């Protein structure tokens, strides 16, 4: 009888310890059980990313090549940062990229002094001191043959959310390219003319070949 009681006490203690461990680690497993969002994974943009995506893009040009290629957010980010103009690549330092639904988010460090003197935005960002983190969220697409764009949906510098009316001014300073009209709030980047569509889904980016 005594041994049975001891076994019962041991089982109870074991259950309590397991329950305590589960409660202490709930932040890790509870979102999975509830179907919550997965942790955000940032990918560093580097020269290796650019070399990889350029090789995959070239495979679409072959007559018997694939009709689409799937690349990482960092690889699309490499295309964007390295081809949107040297001004952009130079101003956004230590760039990282992640996905958010059908959009991508590019973040890095910028010098607020680069925005001083600009109408509207200079008064908001130019007063910040020291390097600031900038995060640009947008949906990539193909605007026309050979022209890709990241249509900007949200911009944050430090803790400041930039008003949408100031996106054209911000983008112009980042890229060094003048923008006007209804499509003023986008980051342009060249694509081969044989790429007809860009889609973001489930953390991956798919580039589709133009159909004849």
């Amino acid at each position: 009888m005594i041994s049975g009681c001891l076994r019962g006490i041991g089982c109870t203690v074991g259950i309590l310890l397991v329950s305590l461990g589960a409660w202490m680690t709930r932040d890790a497993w509870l979102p999975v059980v509830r179907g919550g969002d997965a942790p955000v994974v940032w990918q560093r943009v580097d020269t290796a990313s650019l070399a990889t995506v350029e090789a995959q893009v070239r495979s679409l040009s072959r007559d018997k090549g694939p009709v689409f290629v799937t690349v990482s957010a960092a690889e699309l980010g490499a295309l964007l940062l390295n081809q949107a103009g040297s001004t952009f690549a130079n101003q956004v330092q230590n760039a990282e990229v992640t996905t958010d639904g059908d959009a991508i988010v590019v973040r890095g460090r910028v010098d607020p002094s680069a925005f001083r003197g600009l109408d509207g935005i200079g008064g908001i960002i130019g007063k910040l001191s020291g390097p600031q983190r900038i995060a640009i969220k947008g949906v990539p697409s193909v605007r026309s043959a050979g022209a890709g764009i990241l249509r900007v949906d949200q911009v944050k510098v430090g803790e400041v959310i930039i008003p949408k009316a100031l996106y054209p001014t911000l983008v112009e300073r980042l890229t060094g390219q003048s923008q006007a009209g209804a499509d003023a709030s986008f980051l342009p980047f060249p694509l081969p003319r044989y790429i007809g569509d860009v889609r973001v889904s489930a953390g991956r980016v798919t580039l589709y070949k133009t159909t004849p």
Side-chain angles (χ1 to χ4, degrees):
M1 180 181 296
I2 294 176
S3 61
C5 290
L6 291 175
R7 285 197 299 271
I9 293 173
C11 290
T12 302
V13 171
I15 292 171
L16 289 174
L17 289 175
V18 170
S19 300
L20 178 62
W23 175 252
M24 293 179 67
T25 60
R26 64 190 184 279
D27 289 342
W29 57 264
L30 194 55
V32 176
V33 173
R34 291 179 174 176
D37 295 334
V40 176
V41 178
W42 290 94
Q43 302 174 23
R44 182 71 180 270
V45 178
D46 52 28
T47 53
S49 300
L50 181 62
T52 301
V53 71
E54 286 182 334
Q56 293 189 72
V57 168
R58 283 196 298 271
S59 72
L60 294 175
S61 66
R62 300 195 301 265
D63 291 339
K64 296 184 179 181
V67 295
F68 67 87
V69 294
T70 302
V71 302
S72 68
E75 289 162 352
L76 181 67
L79 275 181
L80 177 66
L81 266 70
N82 286 276
Q83 299 189 48
S86 59
T87 302
F88 187 30
N90 290 336
Q91 292 210 46
V92 180
Q93 302 293 319
N94 303 319
E96 297 177 307
V97 183
T98 190
T99 59
D100 184 359
D102 62 349
I104 68 168
V105 185
V106 181
R107 75 177 185 182
R109 292 283 179 178
V110 294
D111 183 356
S113 64
F115 302 96
R116 289 174 187 163
L118 294 179
D119 291 341
I121 201 168
I124 298 175
I125 302 178
K127 294 180 180 180
L128 300 175
S129 60
Q132 299 289 324
R133 171 167 286 172
I134 184 172
I136 303 173
K137 177 182 176 180
V139 177
S141 63
V142 176
R143 186 185 186 195
S144 60
I149 59 171
L150 180 69
R151 192 173 301 282
V152 179
D153 290 332
Q154 186 180 78
V155 181
K156 187 176 182 181
V157 178
E159 296 302 317
V160 179
I161 297 176
I162 305 302
K164 289 189 176 183
L166 299 178
Y167 288 177
T169 304
L170 175 72
V171 170
E172 183 173 335
R173 176 52 59 94
L174 287 174
T175 63
Q177 300 180 35
S178 178
Q179 299 190 44
D183 289 335
S185 299
F186 63 79
L187 292 169
F189 60 99
L191 287 171
R193 297 181 67 84
Y194 50 79
I195 293 182
D197 197 8
V198 181
R199 298 288 180 90
V200 181
S201 178
R204 304 291 290 178
V205 182
T206 305
L207 307 176
Y208 294 89
K209 180 190 295 188
T210 302
T211 55

